[in-house]
Amino acid sequence: MKFFVLFSLILALSLGVTMERSVAQKSPPPRTTPPFLQKYQRSMKADFKKPENANLLFSFITGNKNGISPYTRKAFKKTNLSHLLAPSGIHYASVLFLLFFLVKKMKAKRWQRIIKVMTYSSAFFLPGFTSIHRLSILRLLLQFKFLAKRKWSIEVIFFLTFAVSFLCGHYSDSPLGFLMSFAFLGTFFAFQNHSKIMLILGLFSTQLILGLFMGEKVSLLSIPVGLVGSALFALLFPTLLLFLASYWLIPFNWGEPLIRSYVVSVQVMAKMLQGSFTSSSVFLILAVWALLILKTSKRKYAIVFLLIFLHTNTAMTPVIFSHLS
């Protein structure tokens, strides 16, 4: 848990500095679809019952969100799935999983390693997709650790990854994108050997820190929804790539029902989460930390309830005082 506390403090400090300097408003230029894909997208739209489904498909691949309704965007945001609307680590990882499953069939382990290193390095030829670049840096450092027989811990690998990413200019390109990646990847590393409940609480703590600085409300229930939604997407994405390839050869639209089913499930879950969002505060963050860090005892739960009470509006601005004034 020492890594989690250290990482959280660094995250809070970085967010404070970023927001103070107002560089958080800087965002990367809007994604554009390459011309050859634009023509392909236009031809596919004519075969889609709902054009938004085609736009979603190409958003997953290019990050261009044009043609996606505000309602759908809001649903993805409420369920912690906004990162799916642009190529990110989960897209890359799902493709890598399929590729390396096939590579494992090769008998020569040396060639397996060479193919892996070449695959990780090729990601740097994708301009603008810094989240994928960071994942490639992480994978390459893990390969270096293995080949050089270094005894680096996963925490050291994590900090090295973001140090290299920072030196590559990823922070200056998109400060908030860099910090969001730092936040959630760090949380997964911190709780990789803990229970799912601990992971959910850890992610909630990270969301609360982000919400405290960014002024956004967060929901504990949205975290398991986002985890399940991301896992399903990891299975869906390679299938959608296969659909794109097959449609190029035979224009048969078998992919739209898959896209529509996934989007509808996200929209339904977003509706179910209504009313579960809360504002962040230092007291609520400390309450979650008490659950994560303190040993089980009656005192622990007393501290948690006290901190949650201090988080409420009633405790901060008691109604009783308004009648005495």
Side-chain angles (χ1 to χ4, degrees):
M1 298 305 296
K2 290 180 180 178
F3 168 72
F4 175 68
V5 174
L6 175 62
F7 141 79
S8 297
L9 292 174
I10 294 173
L11 173 63
L13 177 63
S14 301
L15 280 167
V17 172
T18 298
M19 302 304 287
E20 181 68 22
R21 293 182 176 178
S22 300
V23 295
Q25 302 303 320
K26 181 180 179 181
S27 58
R31 304 290 185 187
T32 57
T33 305
F36 74 96
L37 281 179
Q38 288 180 7
K39 184 178 179 180
Y40 191 29
Q41 183 178 2
R42 286 194 295 268
S43 65
M44 288 187 75
K45 273 188 182 182
D47 208 12
F48 272 68
K49 293 181 180 178
K50 190 169 183 179
E52 184 184 43
N53 295 330
N55 295 329
L56 279 162
L57 173 61
F58 283 87
S59 175
F60 295 150
I61 297 168
T62 67
N64 186 344
K65 300 179 183 62
N66 292 337
I68 301 176
S69 68
Y71 177 74
T72 300
R73 291 195 196 189
K74 191 173 181 179
F76 272 82
K77 184 176 182 179
K78 280 187 174 181
T79 52
N80 288 329
L81 295 172
S82 293
H83 61 281
L84 300 182
L85 298 178
S88 62
I90 192 169
H91 300 69
Y92 188 50
S94 64
V95 174
L96 289 182
F97 178 80
L98 179 61
L99 175 64
F100 293 157
F101 174 78
L102 300 174
V103 169
K104 280 185 178 179
K105 301 298 181 181
M106 299 175 61
K107 294 182 179 180
K109 290 186 177 181
R110 182 181 179 183
W111 279 106
Q112 289 181 16
R113 296 193 191 101
I114 291 174
I115 291 174
K116 285 183 178 181
V117 171
M118 290 177 63
T119 303
Y120 299 146
S121 302
S122 65
F124 294 101
F125 293 96
L126 298 173
F129 298 119
T130 54
S131 59
I132 295 179
H133 296 175
R134 276 190 289 274
L135 187 58
S136 295
I137 292 169
L138 171 66
R139 296 279 186 171
L140 288 170
L141 284 173
L142 288 171
Q143 286 292 312
F144 176 78
K145 172 193 170 184
F146 175 78
L147 295 173
K149 298 181 180 179
R150 302 285 182 178
K151 294 183 179 179
W152 294 339
S153 66
I154 194 66
E155 292 82 5
V156 171
I157 295 290
F158 169 78
F159 284 120
L160 277 175
T161 297
F162 280 87
V164 174
S165 177
F166 183 88
L167 293 174
C168 289
H170 296 170
Y171 175 82
S172 59
D173 289 342
S174 177
L176 279 184
F178 181 90
L179 291 177
M180 294 282 279
S181 181
F182 180 85
F184 290 109
L185 188 59
T187 307
F188 277 107
F189 275 19
F191 292 95
Q192 60 180 335
N193 296 321
H194 293 77
S195 65
K196 292 293 189 293
I197 298 298
M198 293 281 280
L199 172 62
I200 289 172
L201 285 174
L203 287 169
F204 186 49
S205 171
T206 299
Q207 275 200 337
L208 286 170
I209 294 173
L210 292 168
L212 184 65
F213 285 92
M214 299 169 63
E216 295 181 352
K217 292 188 175 183
V218 298
S219 167
L220 176 62
L221 297 179
S222 71
I223 294 171
V225 170
L227 291 173
V228 172
S230 295
L232 291 175
F233 183 81
L235 297 175
L236 176 65
F237 187 63
T239 307
L240 294 181
L241 292 180
L242 180 62
F243 164 60
L244 272 176
S246 68
Y247 189 89
W248 191 290
L249 299 172
I250 304 174
F252 174 66
N253 188 4
W254 57 269
E256 185 172 13
L258 296 176
I259 300 170
R260 191 60 195 159
S261 297
Y262 184 79
V263 173
V264 168
S265 67
V266 171
Q267 293 171 341
V268 169
M269 291 307 301
K271 286 184 179 179
M272 293 175 65
L273 290 173
Q274 287 182 359
S276 67
F277 288 81
T278 183
S279 298
S280 180
S281 76
V282 174
F283 297 115
L284 189 54
I285 294 170
L286 291 175
V288 176
W289 278 27
L291 285 173
L292 289 169
I293 298 170
L294 297 181
K295 294 182 180 179
T296 303
S297 67
K298 292 181 180 178
R299 183 180 299 176
K300 167 184 176 177
Y301 294 108
I303 293 173
V304 170
F305 286 124
L306 174 62
L307 290 168
I308 290 176
F309 174 71
L310 290 171
H311 163 72
T312 62
N313 290 330
T314 304
M316 302 304 292
T317 54
V319 177
I320 188 173
F321 293 149
S322 64
H323 297 290
L324 298 177
S325 58

